[in-house]
Amino acid sequence: MAELRHSSSIGNRVTASPRKRDDVVASSSPLVPDNNSAPNVDDDDDDYRGRYYPRDRFRSLFSSHLQPLFPFFFPDDSRSHPHNSKISLFLLVVIILSLLVAISSVVHRLNAPYLCKKDGITLQCPRVKESPSLWENPYSSTTSWKPCAERREGLISDIPSENATNGYIFIHAEGGLNQQRIAICNAVAVAKIMNATLILPVLKQDQIWKDQTKFEDIFDVDHFINYLKDDVRIVRDIPEWFTDKSELFTSIRRTVKNIPKYASADFYIDNVLPRIKEKKIMSLKPFVDRLGYDNVPPEINRLRCRVNYHALKFLPEIEQMADQLVSRMRNRTGSSNPFMALHLRFEKGMVGLSFCDFVGTRSEKALMAAYRKKEWPRRFKDGAHLWALALQKRKEGRCPLEPGEVAVLLRAMGYPKETQIYVASGQVYGGQNRMAPLRNMFPNLVTKEELATKPELDGFRKHVTSLAALDFLVCLKSDVFVMTHGGNFAKLIIGYRRYMGHRQKSIKPDKGLMSKSLGDPYMGWASFVEDVVVTHQTRTGLPEETFPNYDLWENPLSNCMCRA
């Protein structure tokens, strides 16, 4: 470039005549060939200036700088190959254009919006191409197992008469609907282990929901007893010869306490059965997760699945209402379409109990701190340790996903704006403002209160558990089920859908990945989408081998399913 500037300055100074100026330039500039290779300028001076000099100067400029890099395109004697020179220039232009496109792509990725653009309470995420398996798992991946915990017809029952069993056991099924469901399954299994008669469980009033629902208000009692008649003897009520029925609820003499969590079958035989034989009737409490998985015989686990998937049926009116809700979800657009069920765990109690930190104003954070201090004073202490705890829990993926985070995740998976979503949720903490990002990105989002009329639901409002049963059935029958946090509801739904054949997608988000990605200021949308798609290929309810201490309710594969 110094030589180029030098030759230009000479040309500016020498202006005597056209011929003289060309002679000076030809003798001093490195951009033109020597006299041996150049045409005779004296013969046709005008032709030389008009045709040869500018073109040769241009070629010489590029060849002098690019010949060391591209010797094939710029041979030493380029004038002897005029056709090759044109091809070389064409290829050079193509290469330069390709480099410009590549550089533009890199710059675009580096400057890509941080996941999604936020406009007030609205999130705008780019649309992602829908995958072929968006609404169901691949058929080839779901054909190796089949359910096999159902009752076998034609078997001769070896159940002794009611008076010939070792005694009666009575339990209080505590918690919400799904915790009660697990307790009922475990009660049947424990009665089988000890060869005892099971008194129909009582659904204990939940301290949060304040619900006084009875077993017969939710479940079909006749079907429950008849389906299990060859496995366990079950009676509807406490026997008449036991006069003081309230004693089972209050007397320590009639209660077996201190049963460890996930107790083995041997524990019940060695420690509980002798007392039942002695007293003839005993209550077991508390009875939450009081039976293990790996320390009981396989046939006992299979019996628990028989209870859960076959014997426990909701009342016909609950089943019918749920079928109506499913039908309305599929036909909301006037034509049949798949729909997603979203179990959104972001109630105030869940947010408080998680002890995680969430986006909010100072006043919101202060109110949440006061709420936690009141409800969980031992865990709250002075609050000084909670910030470090919140960071650790979020990093480990143990915090509930916010509605906005769920929206970003679903969009990255490929679900379009038109997706029909049924939301099973309590009162969302933060109200409509907290729900706005999810609702704006997926406007076709409804709850059972929006699908059904008030008169239709009034018959179920007297029992909160009935409303939970409707959510349970709609989620169970949806095309895709998405959970946002742990809990018995999500575990039972995922396990049930697996037992039905693994074909229905049950998405269990990788909250650790979400925490890492949402906390990375350099994470672009394309990279985020790739991470989400790859990570969740194996988190859609496909068959998974069990492992020690696995949860039977979420993965019924080994004991309750057989090779197809």
Side-chain angles (χ1 to χ4, degrees):
M1 295 302 295
E3 294 172 340
L4 176 61
R5 289 193 297 270
H6 177 67
S7 63
S8 300
S9 63
I10 294 176
N12 291 333
R13 291 194 302 267
V14 182
T15 57
S17 68
R19 181 181 299 272
K20 189 173 182 180
R21 182 172 62 249
D22 290 343
D23 291 342
V24 172
V25 172
S27 63
S28 61
S29 175
L31 300 180
V32 293
D34 57 24
N35 293 332
N36 294 330
S37 58
N40 192 338
V41 229
D42 294 330
D43 294 340
D44 194 349
D45 187 51
D46 293 333
D47 181 71
Y48 169 67
R49 289 197 309 269
R51 289 188 301 107
Y52 170 75
Y53 176 74
R55 183 182 61 190
D56 204 56
R57 180 176 179 177
F58 177 80
R59 186 193 309 132
S60 300
L61 171 65
F62 276 91
S63 62
S64 63
H65 289 80
L66 298 179
Q67 185 175 7
L69 299 176
F70 303 96
F72 175 77
F73 294 149
F74 300 95
D76 293 337
D77 190 9
S78 59
R79 199 169 58 82
S80 61
H81 304 284
H83 183 67
N84 289 344
S85 178
K86 292 180 180 179
I87 295 177
S88 300
L89 287 173
F90 174 76
L91 292 177
L92 177 63
V93 170
V94 171
I95 292 174
I96 292 174
L97 290 177
S98 300
L99 288 173
L100 290 175
V101 171
I103 293 173
S104 174
S105 176
V106 171
V107 171
H108 176 73
R109 286 178 64 89
L110 291 176
N111 294 327
Y114 169 58
L115 297 188
C116 301
K117 293 181 180 179
K118 188 174 182 181
D119 183 13
I121 58 175
T122 301
L123 285 174
Q124 297 176 350
C125 297
R127 189 156 185 159
V128 177
K129 183 179 179 182
E130 299 180 26
S131 65
S133 60
L134 190 65
W135 289 102
E136 61 182 6
N137 284 321
Y139 181 77
S140 59
S141 303
T142 61
T143 56
S144 55
W145 294 87
K146 65 179 182 179
C148 58
E150 68 275 8
R151 181 180 62 183
R152 297 183 181 180
E153 300 291 344
L155 294 179
I156 299 176
S157 175
D158 58 351
I159 299 299
S161 64
E162 183 178 336
N163 295 329
T165 60
N166 289 323
Y168 294 82
I169 63 171
F170 178 77
I171 71 152
H172 291 79
E174 301 175 348
L177 171 64
N178 301 288
Q179 194 170 351
Q180 292 170 346
R181 189 184 187 99
I182 293 175
I184 293 168
C185 296
N186 286 341
V188 173
V190 168
K192 179 69 173 180
I193 290 172
M194 297 187 295
N195 190 24
T197 299
L198 175 65
I199 301 171
L200 197 67
V202 168
L203 307 185
K204 188 177 180 181
Q205 176 178 334
D206 186 83
Q207 294 181 354
I208 297 177
W209 299 108
K210 306 298 182 184
D211 192 22
Q212 296 183 355
T213 305
K214 297 179 181 179
F215 190 102
E216 55 268 26
D217 294 329
I218 297 295
F219 300 109
D220 187 333
V221 177
D222 291 334
H223 177 80
F224 178 72
I225 294 176
N226 291 333
Y227 197 90
L228 298 172
K229 64 182 181 180
D230 296 332
D231 296 296
V232 177
R233 185 163 299 282
I234 303 173
V235 295
R236 291 175 177 266
D237 204 353
I238 300 170
E240 295 181 358
W241 55 262
F242 191 75
T243 55
D244 190 2
K245 296 184 179 181
S246 62
E247 190 178 352
L248 275 179
F249 295 86
T250 58
S251 175
I252 190 68
R253 296 177 301 171
R254 293 287 180 179
T255 304
V256 179
K257 297 180 72 69
N258 301 322
I259 300 175
K261 272 194 170 186
Y262 306 112
S264 66
D266 291 338
F267 177 89
Y268 282 93
I269 293 174
D270 296 338
N271 299 280
V272 181
L273 182 57
R275 298 194 63 183
I276 293 176
K277 287 182 176 180
E278 177 189 356
K279 300 289 186 179
K280 289 302 179 183
I281 181 168
M282 296 291 291
S283 65
L284 312 180
K285 60 181 181 181
F287 199 71
V288 179
D289 295 327
R290 288 312 192 263
L291 184 63
Y293 304 116
D294 294 332
N295 49 13
V296 299
E299 60 267 21
I300 295 299
N301 281 333
R302 193 171 298 114
L303 174 60
R304 294 154 96 178
C305 289
R306 188 173 304 131
V307 178
N308 188 29
Y309 304 129
H310 299 282
L312 274 178
K313 288 187 65 176
F314 292 110
L315 292 175
E317 53 265 33
I318 297 177
E319 297 269 1
Q320 292 168 7
M321 188 67 233
D323 288 339
Q324 289 186 39
L325 295 177
V326 170
S327 177
R328 292 170 189 176
M329 281 300 302
R330 295 197 188 282
N331 295 281
R332 291 189 69 224
T333 59
S335 59
S336 180
N337 55 266
F339 76 95
M340 172 190 296
L342 174 64
H343 185 222
L344 187 60
R345 295 299 308 275
F346 208 75
E347 307 91 348
K348 182 178 180 179
M350 174 56 63
V351 172
L353 181 61
S354 70
F355 278 85
C356 293
D357 185 63
F358 298 97
V359 176
T361 63
R362 286 188 176 183
S363 60
E364 285 178 326
K365 292 179 180 292
L367 290 173
M368 177 54 67
Y371 173 70
R372 286 170 171 167
K373 185 175 182 179
K374 176 183 175 182
E375 297 294 330
W376 302 279
R378 292 185 179 180
R379 290 186 60 185
F380 188 86
K381 298 178 183 177
D382 61 354
H385 68 294
L386 295 182
W387 176 246
L389 174 65
L391 289 176
Q392 179 183 354
K393 294 187 71 173
R394 184 165 292 279
K395 183 178 180 180
E396 295 172 353
R398 294 191 288 137
C399 294
L401 292 177
E402 296 188 44
E405 294 174 333
V406 176
V408 174
L409 177 68
L410 295 180
R411 180 56 51 84
M413 288 181 176
Y415 291 98
K417 180 179 181 180
E418 300 76 23
T419 301
Q420 304 291 325
I421 301 180
Y422 177 91
V423 177
S425 171
Q427 184 67 36
V428 173
Y429 174 68
Q432 293 302 318
N433 286 340
R434 185 76 66 169
M435 282 291 293
L438 175 60
R439 191 175 288 275
N440 290 336
M441 195 177 297
F442 295 97
N444 296 323
L445 182 148
V446 294
T447 62
K448 57 182 174 293
E449 288 79 12
E450 297 169 301
L451 274 181
T453 64
K454 185 177 182 299
E456 285 177 323
L457 293 181
D458 281 345
F460 301 94
R461 295 188 190 280
K462 59 183 178 181
H463 300 301
V464 178
T465 310
S466 299
L467 296 175
L470 292 177
D471 281 341
F472 184 93
L473 289 172
V474 175
C475 289
L476 185 63
K477 298 177 181 182
S478 64
D479 297 278
V480 171
F481 171 72
V482 180
M483 60 170 286
T484 61
H485 199 50
N488 292 319
F489 184 98
K491 289 194 299 185
L492 286 169
I493 293 292
I494 291 177
Y496 210 132
R497 291 163 69 92
R498 279 177 163 163
Y499 184 78
M500 292 162 59
H502 296 94
R503 193 70 190 276
Q504 297 174 307
K505 293 187 76 170
S506 302
I507 299 175
K508 187 176 181 180
D510 186 339
K511 293 183 292 182
L513 171 69
M514 291 296 295
S515 173
K516 177 182 177 182
S517 300
L518 295 173
D520 184 356
Y522 302 103
M523 175 66 72
W525 177 248
S527 300
F528 176 71
V529 169
E530 182 180 2
D531 288 348
V532 167
V533 171
V534 171
T535 302
H536 290 85
Q537 285 177 347
T538 57
R539 301 177 71 90
T540 59
L542 291 170
E544 292 181 10
E545 293 293 339
T546 55
F547 49 86
N549 299 317
Y550 74 97
D551 196 313
L552 177 72
W553 312 115
E554 186 174 341
N555 187 4
L557 188 69
S558 296
N559 295 125
C560 306
M561 304 186 73
C562 307
R563 288 283 184 182

